[in-house]
Amino acid sequence: MKNVTIKDVAKYADVSPSTVSRVISNSPSISPETQQRVREAMKKLGYHPNVIARSLVKQKTNTIGLVLSRPTKAAFANPFFPGIIQGIASVAQEEHFSLVLAAAKDYREEHAEALKMLRNRRVDGIILMASRVNDDLIKQLQDNRSKFILIGRSLEIKDIPLVNNDNIEAAYKAVKYLHKRGYEKVALICGPEEYVVSQDRLTGYKKALEEAGQGFDKSLVMYTNFTFEDGYDATKKLMAKKDFDAIFAVDDLLALGALRAAQDSGLKVPDDMGIVGFNDDPMVSYVKPALTTVRIPIVEMGEKAARMLIRIITEEDYNGEEQIIPTEILPRGSTR
Amino acid sequence: MKNVTIKDVAKYADVSPSTVSRVISNSPSISPETQQRVREAMKKLGYHPNVIARSLVKQKTNTIGLVLSRPTKAAFANPFFPGIIQGIASVAQEEHFSLVLAAAKDYREEHAEALKMLRNRRVDGIILMASRVNDDLIKQLQDNRSKFILIGRSLEIKDIPLVNNDNIEAAYKAVKYLHKRGYEKVALICGPEEYVVSQDRLTGYKKALEEAGQGFDKSLVMYTNFTFEDGYDATKKLMAKKDFDAIFAVDDLLALGALRAAQDSGLKVPDDMGIVGFNDDPMVSYVKPALTTVRIPIVEMGEKAARMLIRIITEEDYNGEEQIIPTEILPRGSTR
DNA sequence: TTGTACGCGTTATCAG
DNA sequence: CTGATAACGCGTACAA
């Protein structure tokens, strides 16, 4: 079955191809009768516009790109990834954009894939998950005048379009919440030290301590990866050398590890030890005790990012902005 | 900055555009010197091929599509979705294909989006997550001679390319495993009755009972959705009217609900009640007791599906096949 | 080994 | 209101 093109429709409706094109684009200057005839011909022949050809002449693909690297996934942990995609995909569909996804094994590859999509003109713009400081890429994108937006934030470069949850505020609120619930000494199980998110959360943690009139005690902070075991070990190590009565872990899996370590040491949660996690993984409300955690509106972040990128692409004079998404503490059984 | 095209390179290297094109496609009949000159020109001018233009002339996009509808996601539950995408995306990249993702709110929309991608020639083929019987779509795709592959299986239509985990076998093995561990009466918390996966799992369950010389007792089966609460309620209801000492739940969240219900009723898991879940959500090895569960190699399924679709697209005389992926039981603390 | 000419399916410009 | 015509960037017969 041959592809039916605009020409076939034109022939069938006895008009010129341009007229058919006009009908497709709802051009006003077209007589109702021919309009009618053309539409019938399209239906009759089963015509569907070829978006590739259209892209070629319009120099627009109506497509946005998203690169996912495995480290990114690890960094943002479980629930982040599907939520972001869902948010982006639904907005894309709403705005009649396509979404192309590229996988990358590491940051070098992520970098390369992002540039490739743009340079090959496969996409009009891209969304970057900036879990780590990848400022080279950002600079290159800026130099090329490429359209892009960050989810997360760059450490050094300012004034670029991004949507981020406020990690400083989130950590601040979590620690503050623990204080309010009567816990006095809060330990922090942070992510990898080099991550922007880790640094931000540390900042928030410090701020809360300061406000409570407490000095910052470096030995109450552990840098780890995001596994259960990391959380367990970190907690054990902390308990070996320090006294404290609460833990803020920057990931739910870490928090679960901390919970287990505390319990294994004979501590009662939440009475002897309060624990707050991060991300609100669907599972953690069903463990015992249910985990108090910080929820970030992930889907919404994806939506905002997509919406903003599409505005950047379509509106000549809009260059994006910084959108900070507030987080929320969900009190559950792991804090009193 | 204007787009640098093949013509610019040609002019710079003082050859014809077709020569440049030949260099790009590594045509053998090209002298080393001009080859060299052209490559330098490309580098010098920063040339990158325009995939859109290439697609138009080749009538191939080198792109595969994936439609996700929200019900699909719910049906396949948590870990399925990101794993499948990861598998597909990594193979796509490996094979130099792009992946475009479309979101859909319901099955009607999923249907529409799938056809749209194909008809607009945005993609060369699509991957369908067939959690429910959507045979119309499949028939239409067949009629259009579209390239596609299913993840999961169609209930009625046979001989279509698909990759599936063997749900019959998986359920059979789970129940068999419980029997071997000394449990005698196994209840089944199934998914929604109309899902193909639910039906398959029921079949496997029955098969295991039969082999154990037990009759099938309809009142030991509950049809539910996939939430924690569903699992909890189903278990409570079952316990109200029947005696049994083990539960096979077709989703980890369901199993967690069952676990809680059993514990709330004063039963000891795994001694008084054995529980087996499904999916191996990363979280469930960290609850207490850790959940015995059936693992399906999700990423691998995505990879196989992508690889097969790409073969279908690229190899003239290959039309796909059925690939059944074996599952695996992970014994943990919720069974003795 | 290389160049010329045409076509892929559309849209945009300019006449009429 | 409509129709030629020329792009968009590339691949490929056909010639040379």
Side-chain angles (χ1 to χ4, degrees), chain A residues 212-254:
Chain A
Q214 300 182 3
F216 170 61
D217 180 354
K218 201 174 171 174
S219 59
L220 274 176
V221 176
M222 295 289 283
Y223 295 100
T224 64
N225 282 313
F226 293 111
T227 71
F228 179 90
E229 287 72 20
D230 287 320
Y232 189 93
D233 294 345
T235 304
K236 283 289 194 182
K237 277 184 197 149
L238 281 168
M239 290 192 303
K241 52 178 182 178
K242 279 286 172 179
D243 269 349
F244 54 92
D245 58 357
I247 299 173
F248 173 44
V250 301
D251 182 85
D252 284 336
L253 213 45
L254 283 177

Side-chain angles (χ1 to χ4, degrees), chain A residues 22-78:
Chain A
R22 288 190 186 99
V23 171
I24 293 167
S25 54
N26 285 315
S27 166
S29 61
I30 204 110
S31 86
E33 308 127 44
T34 52
Q35 167 123 209
Q36 171 81 1
R37 253 203 349 276
V38 170
R39 292 212 182 281
E40 271 165 17
M42 296 196 306
K43 192 148 283 174
K44 172 81 173 166
L45 300 179
Y47 169 79
H48 296 276
N50 182 323
V51 295
I52 299 295
R54 181 178 291 168
S55 294
L56 183 58
V57 36
K58 301 259 265 191
Q59 301 286 66
K60 294 247 168 196
T61 58
N62 261 252
T63 301
I64 59 182
L66 173 65
V67 189
L68 296 168
S69 68
R70 232 167 285 185
T72 303
K73 269 181 56 192
F76 280 90
N78 218 322

Side-chain angles (χ1 to χ4, degrees), chain A residues 147-161:
Chain A
K147 322 273 195 178
F148 69 96
I149 180 173
L150 257 48
I151 294 179
R153 78 174 183 88
S154 158
L155 194 53
E156 300 189 344
I157 305 180
K158 299 293 289 179
D159 286 325
I160 46 181

Side-chain angles (χ1 to χ4, degrees), chain A residues 103-168:
Chain A
K105 282 194 276 298
D106 51 45
Y107 286 97
R108 223 183 38 73
E109 237 184 54
E110 180 176 12
H111 192 122
E113 287 294 327
L115 287 177
K116 200 167 81 179
M117 289 198 294
L118 256 2
R119 292 197 288 222
N120 291 349
R121 263 127 310 191
R122 196 184 292 281
V123 301
D124 296 333
I126 59 174
I127 298 178
L128 254 29
M129 308 258 289
S131 60
R132 196 190 287 249
V133 196
N134 48 0
D135 286 341
D136 312 352
L137 175 54
I138 294 171
K139 277 195 190 109
Q140 268 192 62
L141 294 176
Q142 285 185 139
D143 290 350
N144 299 350
R145 304 191 175 292
S146 297
K147 322 273 195 178
F148 69 96
I149 180 173
L150 257 48
I151 294 179
R153 78 174 183 88
S154 158
L155 194 53
E156 300 189 344
I157 305 180
K158 299 293 289 179
D159 286 325
I160 46 181
L162 64 84
V163 5
N164 196 11
N165 58 305
D166 192 337
N167 282 300
I168 300 178

